[in-house]
Amino acid sequence: QVQLVESGGGTQQSGGSLRLSCLASGYTQNIYFMAWFRQAPGKERQGVAAIDSDGLVKYTDSVKDRFTISQDNAKNTLYLQMNNLNPEDTAMYYCAARTFSPLSSSWYLGADSYNNWGQGTQVTVSS
């Protein structure tokens, strides 16, 4: 089992930046890939960005060229650098990890691909 704790959320104006962090603990050696998801009120959880142990990254189209996912394996920490924020980015952001088997990268942004979740950190962007 892996425990995930997010931090770094907050309130920003449009055009601003935030960096989210996700600290992983427990059986981190079993992690195949990790991701950031977000969920706005009344909407489904959406995969934002994912990264695997080889450094392969995937992004949803709406955040390409604005968000960057990265990981520091020595610190067991996943990051999401978010630039040029807009009000549509307002949501609860969740960190997720898959530990029980590898999977094709085409599934990296699907919520069903993950078996470990953090509690979330709120991001609010004002216009």
Side-chain angles (χ1 to χ4, degrees):
Q1 194 76 346
V2 171
Q3 293 77 45
L4 304 170
V5 179
E6 302 96 335
S7 61
T11 301
Q12 273 290 341
Q13 292 187 333
S14 289
S17 298
L18 283 172
R19 188 176 82 155
L20 306 183
S21 299
C22 172
L23 177 63
S25 60
Y27 290 95
T28 59
Q29 68 273 20
N30 295 342
I31 294 175
Y32 285 95
F33 50 89
M34 299 184 72
W36 288 99
F37 285 77
R38 65 186 180 186
Q39 189 167 20
K43 294 188 176 181
E44 292 187 357
R45 192 166 292 192
Q46 176 192 32
V48 174
I51 187 168
D52 67 16
S53 57
D54 292 327
L56 176 68
V57 298
K58 295 281 188 180
Y59 295 97
T60 193
D61 287 346
S62 63
V63 307
K64 285 180 181 177
D65 300 324
R66 299 190 300 123
F67 291 9
T68 303
I69 189 170
S70 62
Q71 58 191 0
D72 185 332
N73 293 326
K75 296 182 179 180
N76 289 329
T77 302
L78 180 74
Y79 300 101
L80 185 68
Q81 177 66 44
M82 305 186 295
N83 298 329
N84 194 20
L85 287 162
N86 61 61
E88 289 69 41
D89 297 317
T90 295
M92 185 71 77
Y93 283 70
Y94 298 90
C95 175
R98 178 179 176 93
T99 57
F100 55 90
S101 67
L103 201 61
S104 165
S105 61
S106 60
W107 297 99
Y108 282 9
L109 294 181
D112 290 344
S113 300
Y114 296 87
N115 60 322
N116 298 274
W117 292 87
Q119 293 300 306
T121 185
Q122 178 69 36
V123 172
T124 302
V125 184
S126 59
S127 56

